[in-house]
């Protein structure tokens, strides 16, 4: 990728004009956007709030390993449009502190103007009674069930997750992995212990119920992403009390907590990651503690809480 087509002056100006037409002769209290660049050239007196998960700096640095090959004009326009938008907004909200830090350091945005409000889980926590009943059954008996959810096979590093579960099987731990939403490359041979589930649309009840069932019947959630802005699926796993196995990258380090997560260096071998997981598998009391902590955290990660926090910001602005 040598040029980012979504971040250029012409496109931003076209979108700004379209928004201005929609605003004409109408009265709005404020504008809330997720994508910064759509308001870079917007000419309006209506206060603007940005609520997003990444700055352009983090996006091009973390999501593209070959970002240095970006054309210098693409980088220049991307940074310029970002700063233009951030300066235009009356309040800039990020879902993580590391994104907030990037805005302050890279784009010189006043910290007072920024705020951190994490996103919420798309799946509400199960009842405490249901969770405790599941714990009593001690799900991780004969077959350890891992689940991983994500659309981008390469960025989510699904190959590595498969290798980790393969290593556990080699060590005599009967393990399986369910991958939801990602399709492997055509030349990839799927091992027998891996189950590929096509993308499930949570807006469709049938798909949502299937996803919930997959979470409920799993023992661990694993996601060894190369890059992650926030990781909503981590919150979904919390709703079912699943201990997490995650790569120690910025997006996920902010979202997940150490008292229910095994963080692993992204360069760590599959064998060494398997050994870390094995120490948790062999310690049932620690597993139960991790599971309970994961479940408890889900009550702080709802959209109701996130929207209440946003509401307070809106009231302050108005």
């Amino acid at each position: 990728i040598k040029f980012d087509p979504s971040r250029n002056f012409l496109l931003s100006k076209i979108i700004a004009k379209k928004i201005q037409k929609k605003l004409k002769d109408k009265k709005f209290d404020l504008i809330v956007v997720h994508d910064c660049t759509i308001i870079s050239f917007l000419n309006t007196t209506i206060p603007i709030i940005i609520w997003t998960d990444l700055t352009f700096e983090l996006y091009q640095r973390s999501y593209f390993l070959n970002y240095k090959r970006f054309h210098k004009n693409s980088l220049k326009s991307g940074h310029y449009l970002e700063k233009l938008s951030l300066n235009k907004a009356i309040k800039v909200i990020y879902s993580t502190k590391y994104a907030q830090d990037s805005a302050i350091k890279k784009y010189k945005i006043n910290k007072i103007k920024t705020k951190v409000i994490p996103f919420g889980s798309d799946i509400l926590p199960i009842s405490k009674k249901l969770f405790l009943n599941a714990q009593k059954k001690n799900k991780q008996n004969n077959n350890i069930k891992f689940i991983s959810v994500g659309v981008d096979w390469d960025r989510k590093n699904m190959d590595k997750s498969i290798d980790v579960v393969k290593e556990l099987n080699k060590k005599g731990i009967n393990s399986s992995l369910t991958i939801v939403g990602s399709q492997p490359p055509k030349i990839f041979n799927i091992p027998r212990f891996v189950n590929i589930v096509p993308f499930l649309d949570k807006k469709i009840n049938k798909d949502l119920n299937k996803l919930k069932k997959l979470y409920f019947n799993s023992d661990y959630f694993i996601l060894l992403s190369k890059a992650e802005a926030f990781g909503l699926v981590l919150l979904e796993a919390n709703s079912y009390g699943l201990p997490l196995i995650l790569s120690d990258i910025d997006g996920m380090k902010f979202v997940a907590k150490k008292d229910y997560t095994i963080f692993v260096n992204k360069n760590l071998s599959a064998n060494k990651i398997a050994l870390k997981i094995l120490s948790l598998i062999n310690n049932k009391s620690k597993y139960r503690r991790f599971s309970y902590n994961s479940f408890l955290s889900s009550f702080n990660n709802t959209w109701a809480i996130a929207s209440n926090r946003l509401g307070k910001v809106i009231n302050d602005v108005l």
Side-chain angles (χ1 to χ4, degrees):
I1 295 173
K2 294 185 179 180
F3 184 77
D4 187 346
S6 65
R7 287 173 175 81
N8 68 79
F9 290 1
L10 181 61
L11 182 62
S12 290
K13 287 178 179 179
I14 290 171
I15 294 173
K17 281 186 178 181
K18 288 187 176 184
I19 295 173
Q20 278 171 221
K21 282 183 180 179
K22 288 183 178 289
L23 297 177
K24 192 176 181 181
D25 301 325
K26 294 178 184 177
K27 292 183 179 180
F28 293 100
D29 295 304
L30 41 81
I31 298 168
V32 182
V33 298
H34 177 71
D35 184 355
C36 285
T37 57
I38 68 171
I39 53 104
S40 297
F41 294 106
L42 183 61
N43 185 18
T44 181
T45 57
I46 303 171
I48 298 171
I49 293 176
I50 296 171
W51 188 15
T52 191
D53 52 5
L54 282 178
T55 61
F56 175 68
E57 181 211 13
L58 293 175
Y59 171 74
Q60 53 89 19
R61 178 159 56 84
S62 302
Y63 272 58
F64 299 101
L65 299 178
N66 61 342
Y67 78 92
K68 291 179 181 177
R69 292 178 55 212
F70 267 47
H71 193 282
K72 62 180 180 180
N73 286 341
S74 186
L75 291 174
K76 187 177 179 180
S77 62
H79 288 305
Y80 181 81
L81 291 171
E82 185 87 2
K83 186 158 187 176
L84 210 59
S85 302
L86 297 180
N87 286 332
K88 189 160 289 190
I90 195 168
K91 202 77 177 176
V92 185
I93 307 169
Y94 290 101
S95 59
T96 63
K97 188 179 182 301
Y98 91 104
Q100 179 194 38
D101 291 342
S102 171
I104 295 167
K105 187 176 180 181
K106 178 67 180 179
Y107 300 104
K108 313 300 179 188
I109 304 301
N110 191 328
K111 187 176 181 179
I112 297 172
K113 185 178 176 175
T114 68
K115 192 170 182 65
V116 175
I117 299 179
F119 297 144
S121 173
D122 289 337
I123 296 178
L124 290 172
I126 57 175
S127 69
K128 189 172 182 179
K129 183 179 179 180
L130 192 60
F131 168 75
L132 292 175
N133 285 339
Q135 268 215 330
K136 282 179 183 177
K137 291 177 182 177
N138 192 19
K139 292 186 292 181
Q140 54 164 10
N141 286 323
N142 300 320
N143 180 21
I144 308 296
K145 296 179 181 178
F146 292 85
I147 185 171
S148 192
V149 182
V151 176
D152 188 335
W153 182 280
D154 181 60
R155 181 168 63 83
K156 302 293 182 179
N157 213 4
M158 294 302 185
D159 293 26
K160 188 74 168 278
S161 294
I162 290 174
D163 287 342
V164 169
V165 178
K166 184 188 291 182
E167 289 296 325
L168 285 170
N169 279 299
K170 284 181 181 178
K171 298 179 191 308
I173 305 298
N174 188 21
S175 308
S176 61
L177 170 64
T178 297
I179 295 175
V180 183
S182 257
Q183 288 300 321
K186 291 181 180 179
I187 58 172
F188 192 84
N189 291 321
I190 304 296
R192 284 184 295 178
F193 60 82
V194 176
N195 176 34
I196 304 292
V197 178
F199 177 78
L200 296 174
D201 188 342
K202 284 175 279 190
K203 295 189 290 294
I204 300 171
N205 284 335
K206 184 181 177 182
D207 283 7
L208 178 60
N209 290 333
K210 185 174 182 179
L211 181 60
K212 286 179 177 180
K213 189 175 181 180
L214 289 169
Y215 276 125
F216 185 75
N217 290 327
S218 298
D219 301 301
Y220 293 89
F221 179 87
I222 183 168
L223 191 64
L224 305 175
S225 301
K226 298 172 184 176
E228 202 70 56
F230 184 79
L232 280 171
V233 288
L234 311 187
L235 307 185
E236 295 175 3
N238 290 147
S239 295
Y240 288 84
L242 300 184
L244 312 180
I245 298 99
L246 309 174
S247 48
D248 61 350
I249 56 177
D250 286 329
M252 297 200 287
K253 279 195 296 185
F254 176 87
V255 179
K257 302 294 181 282
K258 290 181 179 180
D259 60 357
Y260 57 79
T261 306
I262 295 176
F263 285 109
V264 297
N265 186 283
K266 60 182 180 181
N267 297 318
L268 203 64
S269 69
N271 180 54
K272 289 185 177 179
I273 295 172
L275 289 172
K276 282 179 173 284
I277 299 171
L278 195 58
S279 68
L280 187 56
I281 290 173
N282 291 333
N283 189 334
K284 291 188 177 182
S285 62
K286 187 177 180 181
Y287 173 84
R288 286 173 180 266
R289 188 169 69 251
F290 266 47
S291 177
Y292 190 61
N293 289 339
S294 177
F295 178 65
L296 285 182
S297 73
S298 64
F299 293 93
N300 298 319
N301 299 324
T302 65
W303 277 116
I305 291 174
S307 59
N308 283 335
R309 290 170 177 165
L310 178 63
K312 289 178 182 177
V313 174
I314 289 173
N315 285 333
D316 289 344
V317 169
L318 295 179

